[in-house]
């Protein structure tokens, strides 16, 4: 079984948080783009997926920090930046 991380993803357009299980081996850019496309189908007229989506940390001391889109989720888990249940914003 592939390792996965549970992220709480805040979407400002809907003022809601959604849960996603993200495989460790995806890059942040790939994960963000997949999330954006899925949320576009759920959020209807309130959100249109951008050509390139990203993730920004919420809460804690590093709030507002954008995650590098070329880094893997595993890289951020290994560094302790991403843990199960971490809140991020889709940007």
């Amino acid at each position: 079984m592939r390792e996965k991380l549970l992220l709480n993803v805040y979407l400002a357009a809907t003022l809601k948080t959604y849960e996603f299980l993200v495989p460790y081996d995806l890059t942040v850019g790939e994960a963000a783009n997949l999330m954006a496309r899925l949320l576009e189908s759920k959020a209807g007229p309130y959100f249109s997926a951008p050509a390139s989506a990203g993730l920004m940390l919420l809460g804690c001391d590093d709030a507002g920090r954008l995650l590098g889109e070329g880094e893997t989720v595993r890289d951020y888990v290994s560094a302790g930046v991403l843990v199960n249940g971490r809140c991020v914003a889709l940007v």
Side-chain angles (χ1 to χ4, degrees):
M1 183 164 91
R2 292 175 58 176
E3 296 171 292
K4 295 180 182 170
L5 176 73
L6 178 67
L7 290 177
N8 292 314
V9 179
Y10 176 72
L11 183 62
T14 60
L15 301 176
K16 292 184 181 177
T17 302
Y18 303 87
E19 290 184 337
F20 284 93
L21 276 175
V22 181
Y24 277 22
D25 296 323
L26 284 182
T27 65
V28 169
E30 291 169 333
N33 287 326
L34 286 171
M35 291 175 199
R37 289 200 321 250
L38 286 168
L39 289 174
E40 182 177 42
S41 67
K42 286 191 67 81
Y46 303 109
F47 177 72
S48 179
S52 179
L55 295 177
M56 181 176 65
L57 298 175
L58 296 177
C60 301
D61 297 334
D62 50 4
R65 176 179 160 201
L66 286 173
L67 300 179
E69 64 181 52
E71 301 293 322
T72 65
V73 172
R74 182 181 306 280
D75 294 336
Y76 285 109
V77 169
S78 296
V81 174
L82 291 178
V83 296
N84 276 318
R86 179 71 195 249
C87 291
V88 296
L90 186 65
V91 294

